[in-house]
């Protein structure tokens, strides 16, 4: 058994070792910190005993008034980030208190703002091989020389004329740049593309709906569950031709396991929202794919929400860890789902090992671990021409895009999320390219309890909540956890907070100029000290009530967010600024 204990110890430490080995040069080279998406920093200087002494080191105003969701990257003594439209890429000199080294203006088409469903956001760049790669709202992926800010290559991937945009943070895995499209609310067919890092040329493209040849399903495809086996399920589980406007967009997070050379990513909701117009399981939407990074060939698929009724995209983060599960070493995939379940999968086979609720759920009755199927609640099934009341969680999900963090020290997953429910009326949707294709009227509202958001610490081996901190407003920022056992996140009313990772105790907070929907990161500065950075700037689906100047009196504004946060204009304001903190 000695070999097993040794293997397990190495497996547990592998993500941390990988991170530390590259920390001197590539401290935070991708939006999630590492390709495994832990959002864990190995820096211990800021800890639960001194976090109260954090002070502002420097700030950098952006001069923009839309949602700022970008993570900041840190490579050497340079910090990089992408703004909301017009998607400026900045390089700041950390040795000179954040002065601008260079700024790259991609000059995207202004018309793209009109087909961005949920504000003109951008979730950040990625770094590898001396290049910074990022996406623009109008559908371009661009590589820039990290030292000079000069363009290296540019690839046009999306078509705004049909409602297609790019908002996700690319992931660089091996020698590939992985990019997916947005546009599910416009009837856009989803895909994930792999570009060569060297020249930007297309290596492969995998569609989320359609025949097997389009989805890159071949002899290597071995899903764990029987309902995902069969020929051309990407067409046969749809009414004739409906898969062509079927959604399944890849606008969230991509993770990569360099040992198995597999990429993992979620697919978005099927279109339209009205399920009566698309009977069937609607493969391969609202699920997760495992693919070979070199060829794109699918290895397995699992569908979180077959025949999705509630806009419960499957795009949330997939955290890859190697550790013991029920006494057996496993390669795990952790997924806090939009449908409200905290999933644990074997990422080699796609088998669901655990699926427990981390919020109140009445839209379904659990997950059958034998079949892998979500157990529907017929009382909450949405219908054409009828309003169904009090569906929990809401259309934006138990959590929207905001990413969780995992600490190998505490073995907890820190989940930022909402506590919202909804009333939904199904309507007949007509498909016109480049226009909304939804088929539902939604009014979102506060869920159970006197709060609308929370940060939940999920006990992974115990399969339960360890602790939870409630917030008045939904939590729409990402989370960060550090080796100092501190959890960082932001709130819609502008507070940047630090919690004790073991207890949830509030250690420190700082009020910024706008609401926070960004992604905190930690890095070691040129002076050897630990810093924490966050972008402030309200927007996105929930914040576009402010950033897009929507009328709060329209209760369906922003797909029902006006009823969920009617007080948001009183508690926040638009703005955009980078904040960086350190101990004093």
């Amino acid at each position: 058994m000695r070999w097993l204990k040794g293997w397990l110890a190495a497996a547990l430490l592998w993500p941390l070792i990988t991170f530390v080995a590259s920390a001197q040069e590539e401290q935070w080279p991708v939006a999630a910190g590492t390709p495994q998406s832990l959002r864990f920093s190995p820096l211990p200087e800021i800890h639960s005993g001194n976090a109260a002494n954090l002070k502002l080191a420097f700030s950098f105003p952006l001069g923009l008034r839309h949602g700022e969701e970008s993570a900041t990257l840190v490579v050497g003594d340079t910090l990089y980030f992408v703004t909301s439209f017009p998607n400026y890429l900045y390089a700041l000199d950390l040795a000179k208190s954040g002065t601008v080294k260079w700024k790259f203006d991609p000059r995207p088409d202004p018309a793209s703002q009109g087909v961005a469903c949920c504000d003109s956001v951008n979730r950040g760049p990625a770094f590898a091989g001396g290049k910074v790669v990022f996406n623009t709202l109008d559908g371009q992926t661009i590589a820039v020389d990290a030292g000079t800010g000069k363009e290296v290559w540019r690839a046009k991937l999306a078509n705004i004329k049909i409602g297609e945009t790019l908002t996700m943070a690319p992931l660089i895995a091996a020698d590939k740049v992985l990019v997916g499209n947005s546009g599910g609310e416009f009837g856009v067919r989803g895909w994930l593309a792999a570009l060569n890092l060297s020249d930007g040329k297309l290596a492969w493209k995998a569609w989320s709906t359609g025949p097997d040849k389009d989805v890159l399903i071949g002899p290597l495809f071995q899903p764990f569950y029987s309902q995902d086996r069969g020929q051309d399920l990407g067409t046969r589980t749809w009414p004739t031709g409906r898969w062509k406007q079927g959604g399944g967009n890849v606008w969230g997070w991509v993770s990569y396991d360099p040992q198995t050379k597999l990429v993992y990513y979620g697919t978005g909701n099927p279109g339209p929202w009205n399920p009566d117009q698309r009977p069937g399981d609607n493969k391969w939407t609202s699920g997760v794919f495992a693919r070979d990074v070199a060829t794109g060939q699918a290895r397995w698929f699992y569908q979180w929400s077959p025949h999705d009724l509630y806009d419960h995209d499957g795009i949330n983060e997939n955290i890859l860890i190697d550790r013991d599960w029920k006494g057996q070493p496993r390669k795990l995939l952790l997924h806090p789902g939009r449908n409200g379940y905290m999933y644990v999968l074997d990422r080699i086979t796609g088998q669901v090992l655990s699926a427990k609720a981390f919020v109140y759920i009445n839209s379904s009755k659990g997950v059958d671990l034998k079949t892998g199927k979500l157990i529907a609640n017929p009382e909450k099934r949405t219908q054409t021409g009828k309003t169904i009341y009090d569906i929990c969680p809401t259309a934006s999900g138990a959590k929207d895009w905001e990413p969780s963090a995992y600490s190998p020290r505490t073995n907890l997953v820190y989940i930022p999320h909402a506590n919202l429910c909804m009333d939904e009326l199904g309507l007949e949707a007509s498909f016109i390219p480049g226009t909304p294709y939804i088929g539902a009227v939604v009014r979102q509202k506060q869920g159970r309890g006197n709060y609308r958001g929370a940060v939940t610490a999920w006990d992974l081996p115990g399969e339960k909540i360890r602790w939870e901190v409630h917030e008045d407003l939904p939590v729409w920022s990402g989370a960060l956890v550090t080796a100092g056992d501190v959890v960082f996140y932001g709130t819609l009313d502008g507070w940047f907070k630090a919690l004790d990772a073991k207890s949830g105790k509030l250690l420190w907070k700082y009020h910024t100029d706008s609401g926070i929907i960004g992604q905190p990161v930690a890095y070691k500065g040129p002076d050897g000290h630990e810093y924490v950075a966050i972008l402030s700037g309200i927007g996105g689906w929930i914040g576009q009530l402010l950033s897009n100047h929507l009328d709060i009196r329209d209760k369906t504004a922003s797909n029902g967010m006006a009823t969920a946060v009617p007080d948001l204009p009183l508690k926040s304001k638009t703005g955009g600024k980078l904040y960086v903190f350190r101990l004093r």
Side-chain angles (χ1 to χ4, degrees), residues 59-383:
S59 62
F60 183 82
L62 308 183
L64 300 172
R65 299 290 177 182
H66 283 270
E68 300 299 343
E69 293 184 351
S70 177
T72 58
L73 308 186
V74 177
V75 180
D77 63 355
T78 307
L79 183 150
Y80 304 92
F81 66 92
V82 183
T83 71
S84 58
F85 188 91
N87 302 138
Y88 299 133
L89 174 64
Y90 279 99
L92 304 186
D93 191 338
L94 296 176
K96 297 180 179 179
S97 299
T99 58
V100 177
K101 279 189 173 182
W102 51 257
K103 171 186 173 184
F104 180 82
D105 182 358
R107 301 185 183 279
D109 187 339
S112 60
Q113 297 172 93
V115 292
C117 88
C118 311
D119 202 10
S120 54
V121 298
N122 186 290
R123 297 183 184 94
F127 170 90
K131 301 180 183 71
V132 180
V133 185
F134 71 107
N135 295 318
T136 60
L137 191 65
D138 67 342
Q140 301 181 82
T141 301
I142 302 172
V144 173
D145 184 281
T148 65
K150 302 297 183 182
E151 184 176 317
V152 178
W153 53 255
R154 182 182 295 233
K156 180 70 172 178
L157 296 179
N159 179 7
I160 63 171
K161 292 182 179 179
I162 62 170
E164 193 175 34
T165 55
L166 297 183
T167 59
M168 60 101 70
L171 181 74
I172 301 174
D175 60 349
K176 301 291 188 292
V177 179
L178 300 167
V179 177
N181 65 343
S182 302
E185 277 60 62
F186 289 80
V188 171
R189 184 183 174 204
W191 47 257
L192 180 74
L195 307 177
N196 295 325
L197 177 61
S198 59
D199 57 15
K201 292 185 178 180
L202 184 68
W204 52 262
K205 185 175 185 179
W207 295 91
S208 300
T209 64
D212 288 351
K213 64 180 179 61
D214 288 5
V215 188
L216 300 188
I217 287 177
L220 296 177
F221 187 60
Q222 295 182 334
F224 189 84
Y225 298 103
S226 60
Q227 64 265 23
D228 298 320
R229 303 175 198 147
Q231 187 174 5
D232 292 329
L233 295 184
T235 61
R236 293 196 296 110
T237 58
W238 293 84
T240 303
R242 282 292 175 93
W243 57 268
K244 296 178 182 179
Q245 297 89 41
N249 302 86
V250 186
W251 57 273
W253 303 106
V254 183
S255 300
Y256 174 58
D257 182 346
Q259 293 182 328
T260 61
K261 302 190 184 307
L262 295 180
V263 295
Y264 301 87
Y265 69 94
T267 57
N269 62 283
W273 287 13
N274 185 347
D276 290 344
Q277 294 185 242
R278 44 174 176 80
D281 275 358
N282 309 136
K283 306 291 187 191
W284 306 92
T285 65
S286 297
V288 56
F289 269 112
R291 292 188 183 275
D292 182 275
V293 71
T295 65
Q297 287 293 313
R299 294 293 183 87
W300 57 259
F301 175 88
Y302 172 71
Q303 196 165 28
W304 316 112
S305 299
H307 186 59
D308 175 30
L309 304 177
Y310 310 111
D311 185 39
H312 285 169
D313 296 64
I315 59 83
N316 288 359
E317 64 281 1
N318 297 300
I319 303 169
L320 312 183
I321 65 170
D322 296 354
R323 62 157 291 111
D324 176 83
W325 181 263
K326 308 295 186 186
Q328 181 181 353
R330 292 264 200 173
K331 290 184 174 295
L332 300 177
L333 182 153
L334 316 179
H335 178 87
R338 198 150 158 169
N339 61 14
Y341 295 98
M342 177 67 212
Y343 288 89
V344 180
L345 273 64
D346 182 312
R347 71 175 185 270
I348 301 301
T349 66
Q351 179 187 7
V352 180
L353 304 176
S354 177
K356 299 289 182 68
F358 65 89
V359 296
Y360 172 71
I361 302 172
N362 65 17
S363 55
S364 60
K365 297 182 178 182
V367 177
D368 185 331
L369 295 187
K370 291 183 180 180
T371 65
K373 291 183 179 180
L374 186 69
I375 304 170
N377 180 1
E379 295 179 1
K380 297 298 180 182
R381 189 194 186 284
T382 58
Q383 300 177 41

Side-chain angles (χ1 to χ4, degrees), residues 519-542:
Q519 304 170 58
V521 310
Y523 66 89
K524 181 181 286 188
D527 60 0
H529 290 291
E530 181 180 353
Y531 291 76
V532 179
I534 185 69
L535 279 170
S536 173
I538 199 165
W541 183 349
I542 195 165

Side-chain angles (χ1 to χ4, degrees), residues 1-14 17 259 322-324 329:
M1 294 297 291
R2 183 177 298 174
W3 69 270
L4 179 58
K5 293 180 180 178
W7 183 93
L8 179 56
L12 287 169
L13 289 173
W14 169 69
I17 292 170
Q259 293 182 328
D322 296 354
R323 62 157 291 111
D324 176 83

